[in-house]
Amino acid sequence: MALALPGQEGAPKWFLDDLKKQPKSLTNTTCELRVMGTDEVLVCPVKQSTTVFEIKMFLAMKLGCDPGIMSVIMKQGCSWRAQADSEEIARKVHVKGIKSFKREKHKWPNPIAIIGTGHAGLRQAMFFIKHKEFNFVVYDRKALVGGTSWIDQANTTSKLQTELGTYHLQYDEDNPVPQNMSTWPSTEELLKHFREVSEEYGIMPYCKMCTNIKEIKIKAGTKSEQVAEMSQKGISWATQTYTLTLEPTDGTGDGRGDNIGATGAPCEDVDHSAVIMYPGNLTIPKRCELTGEDTFEGDISYAIMNDFDYSKVKGKQVAILGHGAFAVENLRTCLEYSCRQAYMICRRKNLACPRVVSWFINQSVNPISGPLTMKSFLPMYDLLGFDPWAYHSVYTNEKRTNVTINQKSRFGIGDVYFVANAMGICEVVEDEIKRISPQHVHMQSGRKLEAQVILKLYGFNGNFDVDRLMNVKSMMGFWPDEDFRRYLIAEPIGVNATNFGGTSFSPGVRVWVEFSAYFLWYPKDFPNVRDSGLMPTHSADPELDRPAYVIDARHGTQTIMGINGAVPAIAEAHAGLGLVKRQKQLECHPTRKYLEECRLEWEEYGEKLKELGAPKPCPPYPYTLKIVEAFMKENEDDALAKMSR
């Protein structure tokens, strides 16, 4: 392969002139590079006509150094001579002026702070340890690792909606997959997994639990010094220090405060060279007061932080207000607690995702196209008589050869939604609520629904305290105010894609943790990202109750694409991650075994719903091995067709 240069800026005139000359040899060959005075060897694929200058530029880009410090030495007979930049590179050469082909990492004077011991915070710690970065501390308000999502938001019957293969702490190119865990683990299983992996991989010695970060003060130079730094090509905010005020907790809170200050111990100030924060899922429910709520004579809850006792739904009719991922999860919980009937009330239906489609997307090396994703939904949607192509979030051309799915809620994943609707024990009601009366919900259409329980699942907002803590004015990609030493990311909200490469958390986190580490190790590369013009920005919108750190799916996707475009070393490191994802998924969930588990779960729910009095019989599970293998072949054919273009 030819060696591509990052650009022609600063290239000598002879090189630019030479690019116009013909013919040039395009014969493929290799060049063996050796660091002078060492045994370190790097073999590069090159063309016969590749010049010494191109090799120097390649190494400069790889190592983040000035190509002028290097000289290339070749053996000629019994003597040695330096090759000129304009010469074709010899097949075996020595490189002077560098110590190694491995880039030297920047060393920070103070530790790196990681805030949060949820999934992403623990993965960041594992990534650092794997790459021998030990200068960090992980803080959390809790006494135990696991994060807000599973410790506070989940209830005792909550389960992972996506598959274990792409949601576990060991997710990495070199780690084994978890053993003896369910395909869709429960809250208890996952919290146990987090604790065991944290102990096994040596994370706990770096964790400071029962510690709230009360304040972060940025110690920087004067305004003029900061402006001067910003105007340079090098590192911005190179002299900054972050002072964290640590406030003790007793670790027993429920996410609303975690008993901060309950111990009476004094606060402590600690300096850090960088701060990485993973605030977890959005945790503040979107509130909506309904006319007549006070007359309802039943339970009304936002069903978060274990506020609601689900045993109260037994034998009752439940109105679930909303149609997002958390609403789908609450439907499953209510059915498992033996509700008699469920109504999912929404203005417009969001796409929900069958288990097989989630598995299909997560096992793919190449992203699944929008049309194929929609096609894979159909066996399940046909059972309900729903046409997913007609949903508000689906944008397509007349021939349905191009599809974009754009909705504010992530996919709710689970087959129980479909079997419950197919058997008539759940009904999706597309309407607006007019008012509430004793044990009834009145719709704008005039319909009157009987219900003894109302669960409000309108979605969640972010917490402006996160913006305040991290001193965020505006997000550039995943960095507050273009500061590469502050990194802040929660899972982007919604769905906005034309191709689908994943529905689960771990593959994305694998990329996030490398981004944060890379620019702390190699800060000279950050201006390439900052000045690329590829980074999306987002500021707080108080009117929508949306902090700056709460970004949408489009912002997240653009950021990842922009970083890969601006930093070739990162793009190269991520080139094989699709294969890793497929390997992990199939190692945990082989095709036949996974399909059989889905079928058995479907039939078990069918029996359960029949006992609860479902008016319709349970239909056969709609996916077969033949259907799934046809989808997989179509995806492979799509990938081959794209490669041949």
Side-chain angles (χ1 to χ4, degrees), residues 374-435:
M374 294 297 296
K375 185 177 179 180
S376 65
F377 283 162
L378 292 178
M380 197 66 90
Y381 276 84
D382 287 346
L383 290 179
L384 313 186
F386 294 172
D387 178 11
W389 289 95
Y391 278 35
H392 73 93
S393 55
V394 179
Y395 300 84
T396 185
N397 58 355
E398 186 176 351
K399 294 182 179 180
R400 296 181 173 176
T401 54
N402 295 300
V403 176
T404 297
I405 297 175
N406 185 0
Q407 64 184 38
K408 293 182 179 179
S409 172
R410 294 193 297 273
F411 294 144
I413 301 171
D415 291 346
V416 64
Y417 167 87
F418 295 96
V419 69
N421 276 282
M423 295 180 69
I425 201 167
C426 174
E427 180 185 354
V428 178
V429 180
E430 286 188 278
D431 205 341
E432 297 226 29
I433 296 174
K434 183 177 182 180
R435 64 184 177 89

Side-chain angles (χ1 to χ4, degrees), residues 254-266:
D254 63 358
R256 295 183 180 85
D258 295 290
N259 297 332
I260 296 168
T263 66

